[in-house]
Amino acid sequence: MSPSVTVRAPGKINLQLAVGPLGADGYHPLATVFQAVDLYETVRATVRDDDEIRVTVEAPRTLGIDTAAVPTDASNLAVKAAYALRAAYGMDLGVDLHIVKGVPVAGGMAGGSADAAAALVACAEAWGMAVSRQELDTIAASLGADVPFSLHGHTAVGLGRGSDLSPAMSRGEFHWTLATQRAGLSTPAVYGRFDEQVADGAPVEADPQISQELMAALMSGDPHRVGAALSNDLQAAALDLAPHLSRVMDAAREAEALGVMVSGSGPTVAALGRSRQHALAIAAHISAADVADSVLTASGPAPGATIVN
C-alpha cells in the first residue's frame, strides 16, 4: 500500500442545464453539458493504523474561500466517498483526508463532488486496491449526480439525473471569468423555487434535450458561438432568490463577455471571454464594479481526477 497519495479533481461549469418537472421519485430529469475548468480540489489520503476516517480542510487565503462552511464530519462528501469505497469492497482500513480547496464553496461549481471524486481515486490508490475507473463510476453515481463527471472531466453530456455521462466533442480552449459570493445558494432551495415558478405557469420541457446549437458550437471551437448558446433553466430561480446576481451579470455584459449565466444552482456567475486576456479584463471590470466578493479566471476543458504524487 502507498502510505500517502494526492489527487486533484476539477470544478465544473454547466454550459447548458435543462431541467424537467419534478417527478414522482422526487428528482428532476436533466439534460446538461458539463465543462471542467482548471480550478481544482486537492485531496491527500494518508493511510491510518486504525479504521478511522477523518478529514481536515484548508484553502489558500488568496482565493477567499470560507473553509468554515465545509463540514469536517461524516457529512463531508470526501468522507462519504471513503466510506462508500470501503463498504463496496469489504475493507476496514482507515485514512486521513486533507482537502485543499480551490473551487468556491456552495457556488454551483461542484467543489464537494470534486472532493468525492478525488477521495475515491486517492483512497483506492493508498489502500492498494486494483479498482478500475468504471468500478469507481458506480460508487461515484451513488454519491451525487456531479461526482462521476468530476472523475472524468473534460466536456461531457449528462442525462437522467445528470450522472448518465457521455463525452462531448469539443475543440479548443475556453476562458472564463467566475464571480463568486460568500453567501451560497442552497441547491434544494433553488430547485424548490424552480418548482414554484413552474406551478405558477413558467414553461418547462417534460423531456429536456441537449442543445444541438451548443454541441455544434463546441465542435467548432468558436467561443462566440458557445457564448450565444449558453443556457440554464435554474437561472431565473437563482436570480429570484439572489437578485443582486443580476448586477454581476450586467457588469460582465458591460465588459463585452460573449455569454453570461449563473453557473448551475448559483450563486457563481460565469462569463465567457474571447481569450485569456479578455477573461482577465472582464474580471477587472467586475471587481471594479464591486458586485462580487471574489473574481477568478479559469480555462476549460480540464482533465478529471488525476494522481499528482
Side-chain angles (χ1 to χ4, degrees):
M1 292 185 298
S2 302
S4 183
V5 176
T6 302
V7 173
R8 69 180 192 181
K12 59 85 180 171
I13 297 170
N14 293 84
L15 308 186
Q16 177 193 3
L17 181 54
V19 182
L22 182 65
D25 60 357
Y27 290 90
H28 298 78
L30 303 177
T32 187
V33 179
F34 298 105
Q35 184 165 96
V37 295
D38 58 359
L39 297 177
Y40 296 102
E41 298 284 285
T42 303
V43 177
R44 184 178 72 244
T46 304
V47 177
R48 293 176 58 92
D49 293 330
D50 54 27
D51 63 355
E52 293 288 318
I53 295 176
R54 297 181 181 176
V55 64
T56 53
V57 182
E58 67 169 306
R61 289 185 180 180
T62 54
L63 295 182
I65 293 174
D66 180 15
T67 58
V70 181
T72 54
D73 57 15
S75 66
N76 183 288
L77 267 177
V79 173
K80 288 184 176 181
Y83 274 114
L85 179 65
R86 195 169 72 172
Y89 291 90
M91 301 176 64
D92 59 1
L93 295 171
V95 69
D96 286 320
L97 300 172
H98 181 69
I99 299 172
V100 179
K101 297 200 66 65
V103 177
V105 177
M109 295 185 65
S113 295
D115 290 338
L120 285 174
V121 175
C123 288
E125 185 73 14
W127 286 337
M129 303 170 67
V131 181
S132 70
R133 284 294 172 103
Q134 186 175 7
E135 291 170 308
L136 290 180
D137 275 340
T138 302
I139 301 172
S142 72
L143 296 166
D146 291 336
V147 182
F149 176 71
S150 295
L151 271 177
H152 296 280
H154 300 287
T155 305
V157 168
L159 299 174
R161 296 179 184 176
S163 58
D164 182 8
L165 290 178
S166 58
M169 296 295 292
S170 176
R171 295 177 60 191
E173 189 174 39
F174 299 93
H175 303 286
W176 299 92
T177 301
L178 304 165
T180 71
Q181 310 289 335
R182 291 192 189 94
L185 274 176
S186 160
T187 297
V190 174
Y191 272 98
R193 184 67 188 114
F194 172 83
D195 293 335
E196 291 171 358
Q197 291 172 335
V198 170
D200 289 340
V204 63
E205 293 290 336
D207 183 22
Q209 300 293 313
I210 295 297
S211 164
Q212 294 308 305
E213 179 186 1
L214 175 60
M215 299 306 290
L218 287 167
M219 289 182 67
S220 76
D222 183 349
H224 293 81
R225 291 179 63 185
V226 172
L230 300 176
S231 64
N232 179 4
D233 286 355
L234 293 182
Q235 180 167 291
L239 291 175
D240 194 52
L241 294 173
H244 61 283
L245 297 181
S246 62
R247 299 199 299 273
V248 186
M249 299 177 72
D250 288 342
R253 293 187 184 106
E254 289 168 2
E256 300 181 349
L258 302 181
V260 185
M261 64 178 177
V262 173
S263 178
S265 58
T268 298
V269 169
L272 180 60
R274 295 185 299 271
S275 62
R276 193 182 304 273
Q277 291 73 21
H278 185 210
L280 289 168
I282 296 168
H285 188 81
I286 294 173
S287 296
D290 196 24
V291 291
D293 292 319
S294 180
V295 187
L296 311 170
T297 59
S299 299
T306 304
I307 297 172
V308 295
N309 84 317

